Amino acid sequence: MRHIGTLVVRYRYAVMTVWLVLAVAGLAVLSALPRMLQPPDITVDRSASATASELIAERFPDIGGRQVMLAFTSRTLPADDPAYRRATRAVTSAMAEHPGVGAALPVPRTGDQHARHAYVMLGVRGDPDTARRVLPELDERARNVARDRSDGAVSVALVGLDPVLAQLARTTTEDVRSAEVYAVPVAALLLALGLGSLGAAALVLLLAGTAIVLGLGILTLTGLSHGVDTTAVTVVATVGLGVGLDYALLLTLRHRDRRAAGLPPDRAAEQATVTAGATVVLAGTAVVATALGLLLTDITYMRTLALAAVLAASTATLAALTLMPALLTSCDRVLGWGPMPWTRPGRRRPKTGPTAWELWTGHLLRHPGRYATAAVLLLLLAAAPVLGLRTALHFDRSVLAGTSLGDGLTRMEDDRIASLTLVALPHPVDAGPVDTEPLSAALDGDPRVSVSAALDNGHDLTLLLIGESQAPDTAAAAALQRHLREDLVPRLLPAGQPVRIAGPAATVHDLSTEVGDQVWLVLTVICCGTFVLTFLVFRSVVVPLKAIAMNLLCVGAAFGVLALVTPALGYPAVNPLLPLIALTLVFGLSMDYEVFLVHRIAEHYRAHGDNAAAVLHGLRRTALPISLAAGVLVVSLTGLLGAHRQDLRQIGFVVMTAVVLDATVVRMVLAPALMRLMGRANWWLPAWCGRLLPSRTGDARVPAQSGAADTAPSADRPRV
């Protein structure tokens, strides 16, 4: 850090020039981002549904790996009207002529189907990315042809899992943009109030904004060949804002401390980089380590989010270590621009006696057991409702309402043709088609099934198409998937027959199963990564264990509060992906605050050996950056509470709640109380571990006697 600080300050104009070029290049690249956005891919790699889709695309290319439905309707014409039929034939022919479409199969009418509704299934060719990119073009072509051939009497909507996810992704982008329009000015005001000037707030926002632009630019470049996941853009913006503000605040406050001590701007920036820069690297590494836990899942969507979080944290860390020291040196005067009225000379009167903050911290350090007990009980009480939390993937009908896609999905649900499941039955070339009659007969009597039909490619694959009466995100569809896999298929198909099940409901089923199977593995890996990192940094066994326990309490409390308010947020269940996303974000941000606080305490303790004074010193020095960073992040997340999508409101609420609890109950009460209670035990390290760890230059000697913890310079002794 010392070398980095010296080099950055010495060549500050070159550093700022490089960052200016990167920011301009990032802005130029971002102009291509809107047309590259793609809906999220919720496919689970190596799952039964993914394997089945690949098998069908290979051996039944006309059916393809993706299937969507053309949902026709008319306000005046019945489906058997000649004009209606001409329009449906014209649309079907136009779709069949497209190189991305294989089969275009009319769906047989059912007894519950409306007289003015008709449906055609399309098999979409190509790999998943290609299929998703071609769907908007197919949708537009179908609507134009239907309108032109019927003079507007017949309309059509392209309905399927991918179109639904695409519509939800577009709404996500709009919601995040609206939240940022609200969050940025409020965050700027909050920063100005906390830092005491508009200039300081502007520099902090400049760094966070530059890091976000660079992260989004890199994300855009990586997506040139296959598109950019819309949720990845949201993660880069949210995580980049959160950690970018954290790190910029930390360096700015350290720089101001050094300036107040009489150092010139260049020396103050160097010293800020030496001290706060190390904390920034540790905190950024913690965020990256927690995000990497998501790479263990086979969910493409989760891995995309993990890489987006890693990208955001890395760019924010790089900007904080290089751009911020250069800005602080060159724009030192800017920090004083636009001072708040109470910070101007002569406006602040010296106070006699201890401040309210000093009285409270003194009381906390005199009675740490009471505060720690109260904090733990509060978090446990808040976490209790988590036992009743229910997860379910849900297509947000309020977002889809009023769109042609939403209207088409509603029509399909009313006509009991809401989804399609494909049962792939491979067989030897000379064996002939698989006998699906017993299975079809059992399905025909199931009220959750509207129609079934068997196809064979004449070579080595029999395909059973099952029309479901419920959408793939419903409990009935999930129950049918379980019944099909666990009962009907083993019982009614020939013994030893290989079976692969694909379709939207199968994809949703595999996604929910994978999340349930992997959430504990991801949590374990995150906890292990957190332990290893904090163990290596603080050379203590106790500090990592406390950090993990406090983070788990905080996450549990946040989800407990979410369980209470979920019905008010629009739906009684939470998205099954939410626990994985929230665990990553909350653990990453919590480790930021943990490193801020404990690093300050460790610095003072290693220098003086007084545990009580070190805890008080850490509280004094980190209360402002932690509170201010948490406040700005909460303000940013508050904008998501007004989002149209229910899962966005849920994730905004749970992360916001966790940040508030972490910055107040955990960092300001529980963590310092536990460190005060445990004294020298905080830094316990087995002798054999100490011998294995490399020695660090500059580590101050810590008194070896237990009584030494009570001796400290009078200036640093707390009034307890």
Side-chain angles (χ1 to χ4, degrees), residues 509-578:
H509 176 274
D510 288 343
L511 175 67
S512 300
T513 303
E514 176 72 9
V515 170
D517 293 342
Q518 298 297 325
V519 65
W520 294 110
L521 174 61
V522 172
L523 179 59
T524 301
V525 171
I526 289 177
C527 290
C528 291
T530 300
F531 179 87
V532 171
L533 179 64
T534 49
F535 170 76
L536 294 175
V537 169
F538 298 114
R539 300 188 173 219
S540 166
V541 174
V542 177
V543 169
L545 293 177
K546 285 193 305 182
I548 293 171
M550 290 187 297
N551 284 352
L552 291 176
L553 276 174
C554 188
V555 171
F559 274 100
V561 177
L562 177 65
L564 293 177
V565 303
T566 293
L569 295 176
Y571 191 67
V574 302
N575 191 309
L577 299 174
L578 179 59

Side-chain angles (χ1 to χ4, degrees), residues 311-336:
L311 176 61
S314 301
T315 54
T317 303
L318 180 63
L321 292 178
T322 56
L323 178 60
M324 199 64 196
L327 289 175
L328 291 172
T329 305
S330 305
C331 308
D332 180 73
R333 293 183 179 180
V334 175
L335 294 175

